[in-house]
Amino acid sequence: MYTIIVVPAPAAASADQFRLAPGERLRFGRAVPPAAGGPPHLDIPHPGVSRTAGEIGATGTYWTLSNSSASSTYVVENPEGAGEHIKIAPGRVDAPVPFEFSRVVLPAGSELVDFGVWAPRHDYADRAGTAEDGEPTALPFPLDRSKRYFLVLAALCEPRLRGAPHAPPPTADAIVERLRPVWPTANRAAVQWNIDYLAVKLRLKPGPETADRGPRLNGKKESLVSLALRFDLVHEEHLGALTAPAEPLPEAADVTAAALVRTR
């Protein structure tokens, strides 16, 4: 059974995909591919790529990347992870890569070249039918996806989930316009209140019932987006709620500390 598929970029010498089974390896670089019958090789004909740039290894449930360069760091991006990536330092051997879909980016002079790696085999524990004693574990970030605060959080995360991993979070006014189809009465004050509420709910700042107000939270929206995407609190499929018809939601609470305490 094949566990990973390497998809060359259009600039590669070959457009053929490489399918690797557990234990198999694929070298890549600028070197001319070996003669017929030799080990597989992904040829990247760019003068800025090392002749022996690195090697990919297939395992059962993940894959590894070796960086044979003496000076260049490689980056493995998760195209579905809103900017999630790992760096493979020069000389690193068999670094494990957990992403199901990956883009391997190599610095090549003044340019960047890349190729894709698909790892369709990911195993997960089946907890169906298991019984455990004791109280259930409390959810770390209890979010109600039917509430307006979640719509605000999804709107904050939308640019990065749409494929712009370095995009700044939208402004409150932009969120008001984005949510108009599902929240016609939205206004800047209500959106900002929900952002403040999310900062408390996701424990980025203490609630109003505590004496300690904590340090001032600069970059609140950036912190919310970073936390939500890092822990998969918002997925691309949640963005449909920003435009699809939705059930009537409770009216926004009064923007007061007392209301914030009641709704937590």
Side-chain angles (χ1 to χ4, degrees):
M1 174 183 177
Y2 296 113
T3 62
I4 71 169
I5 303 170
V6 180
V7 184
S14 172
D16 295 334
Q17 297 179 357
F18 296 87
R19 298 172 180 266
L20 306 180
E24 293 183 339
R25 306 183 74 85
L26 172 69
R27 292 184 178 181
F28 59 90
R30 196 173 84 243
V32 177
H41 185 279
L42 171 60
D43 187 34
I44 306 174
H46 191 290
V49 176
S50 301
R51 288 181 174 83
T52 54
E55 188 176 53
I56 291 170
T59 70
T61 58
Y62 65 96
W63 60 280
T64 63
L65 178 63
S66 297
N67 181 353
S68 301
S69 170
S71 59
S72 297
T73 295
Y74 299 162
V75 175
V76 183
E77 299 176 342
N78 177 7
E80 299 185 325
E84 184 182 20
H85 68 278
I86 59 176
K87 296 187 291 185
I88 312 299
R92 177 69 192 273
V93 176
D94 288 337
V97 180
F99 307 144
E100 186 171 359
F101 299 98
S102 305
R103 181 186 299 114
V104 181
V105 183
L106 314 177
S110 60
E111 300 179 293
L112 298 175
V113 298
D114 65 82
F115 58 87
V117 178
W118 302 344
R121 177 180 167 182
H122 273 202
D123 293 342
Y124 297 91
D126 183 8
R127 302 183 62 85
T130 62
E132 297 183 358
D133 296 331
E135 294 295 325
T137 303
L139 294 176
F141 301 110
L143 295 175
D144 186 341
R145 291 178 172 79
S146 68
K147 301 295 185 182
R148 281 177 173 157
Y149 68 73
F150 188 79
L151 292 178
V152 171
L153 183 61
L156 283 170
C157 297
E158 182 177 26
R160 299 191 187 182
L161 288 172
R162 295 291 191 194
H166 305 296
T171 64
D173 291 332
I175 294 175
V176 169
E177 292 305 314
R178 184 68 181 91
L179 297 182
R180 193 74 70 189
V182 292
W183 186 4
T185 60
N187 56 58
R188 193 176 190 279
V191 166
Q192 191 58 55
W193 181 88
N194 278 278
I195 291 173
D196 292 337
Y197 175 67
L198 283 164
V200 173
K201 190 170 185 66
L202 298 182
R203 296 190 285 280
L204 293 176
K205 59 182 297 186
E209 74 281 5
T210 63
D212 181 12
R213 302 299 297 152
R216 179 178 176 80
L217 182 60
N218 295 317
K220 188 182 306 180
K221 292 186 294 183
E222 179 69 35
S223 297
L224 285 170
V225 171
S226 177
L227 179 70
L229 296 180
R230 179 175 299 177
F231 291 100
D232 290 334
L233 305 182
V234 181
H235 300 274
E236 188 173 355
E237 56 263 31
H238 294 140
L239 300 181
L242 302 180
T243 54
E247 294 294 327
L249 296 171
E251 288 300 319
D254 293 334
V255 186
T256 62
L260 184 57
V261 173
R262 288 197 300 272
T263 55
R264 289 183 69 243

